[in-house]
Amino acid sequence: MRIAILTFDAFNDLDSLVAFAMLNRIALMGDADWHVRIASPTPRITSMNGLTIDAHEDLSRIGQADAVLVGSGMKTREIAANPAIMGQLRLDPVRQLIAAQCSGTYLLGQLGVLNGLPACTDLTSKPWVVASGVDVVDQPFIARGNVATAGGCLAAPYLVAWLIARLKGLEAAREVLHYFAPVGEKQAYVERALAHVAPALGAGAALAAVAA
């Protein structure tokens, strides 16, 4: 199982790295076939807060991923206006799970992935995401079919839970959320996250989340 986290220069540290850490929990739990990769158009990228990291792979390999998560950053509109980069972002919502956070939603809209679907983004990005024709809803997470979006830096766990639930099952998502949740609030944290995510997984998953 391959998950690519699209990360560009001036990226939001929380969006990409919280998702990276949480998703990698599946590999640390013993799944040797679970691979989470930072994908970027350049070998090294620097966050909006000055953190420089090495990418694991370039954009040419995202077509091989089972799931793609598009992070946000301060240069999202510059990325969207760059044909050389956008031409490499070949996403297939029929075959792949596709998730985006905050301004990453704008890129999905520009790529035609949303195709009229309602979506979430952060409050800073919302005006220009709406202006681009995306139907933005006032909630932290929404998913329709194989496409999910989230709004707000701390909404990353919702996308993570959705991806894990779709790829590994609801119980695996619950276990990962529980591991990262604050001590003393774990049960409430997991229940709140799954209350957002489980309805997007189908009636059976929603009932299982409530019963657990």
Side-chain angles (χ1 to χ4, degrees):
M1 196 67 65
R2 294 176 57 85
I3 302 173
I5 301 178
L6 300 191
T7 306
F8 304 98
D9 200 41
F11 69 94
N12 186 312
D13 314 56
L14 288 174
D15 288 9
S16 291
L17 300 184
V18 169
F20 179 77
M22 294 186 73
L23 287 166
N24 263 304
R25 181 66 187 164
I26 296 295
L28 293 175
M29 289 163 55
D31 188 340
D33 294 323
W34 184 270
H35 304 283
V36 184
R37 315 288 285 175
I38 298 291
S40 174
T42 56
R44 306 197 83 192
I45 39 181
T46 299
S47 77
M48 59 191 290
N49 294 303
L51 175 67
T52 299
I53 63 173
D54 294 326
H56 296 114
E57 59 190 26
D58 61 32
L59 300 181
S60 66
R61 302 189 65 185
I62 64 174
Q64 303 170 26
D66 299 285
V68 179
L69 193 161
V70 185
S72 71
M74 296 182 69
K75 295 184 178 180
T76 300
R77 282 181 285 184
E78 292 180 33
I79 297 296
N82 187 324
I85 293 178
M86 294 295 282
Q88 297 180 69
L89 303 183
R90 298 183 179 92
L91 305 180
D92 183 359
V94 174
R95 184 184 60 81
Q96 299 172 306
L97 297 181
I98 300 175
Q101 186 165 353
C102 297
S103 65
T105 298
Y106 181 73
L107 292 182
L108 291 193
Q110 295 300 298
L111 290 167
V113 173
L114 294 176
N115 195 26
L117 293 176
C120 301
T121 191
D122 65 283
L123 297 181
T124 300
S125 304
K126 181 178 178 179
W128 44 273
V129 174
V130 169
S132 74
V134 175
D135 178 18
V136 173
V137 294
D138 186 24
Q139 57 194 67
F141 170 88
I142 192 170
R144 294 288 188 273
N146 287 344
V147 180
T149 54
C153 297
L154 296 183
Y158 298 158
L159 291 179
V160 168
W162 178 77
L163 287 168
I164 293 175
R166 289 291 306 271
L167 297 171
K168 293 287 289 184
L170 185 61
E171 286 309 307
R174 185 189 304 278
E175 186 169 352
V176 170
L177 286 169
H178 188 272
Y179 177 85
F180 285 96
V183 172
E185 300 178 359
K186 288 186 177 291
Q187 188 61 34
Y189 184 95
V190 171
E191 289 177 357
R192 178 170 182 170
L194 292 183
H196 289 290
V197 173
L201 305 175
L207 290 173
V210 172

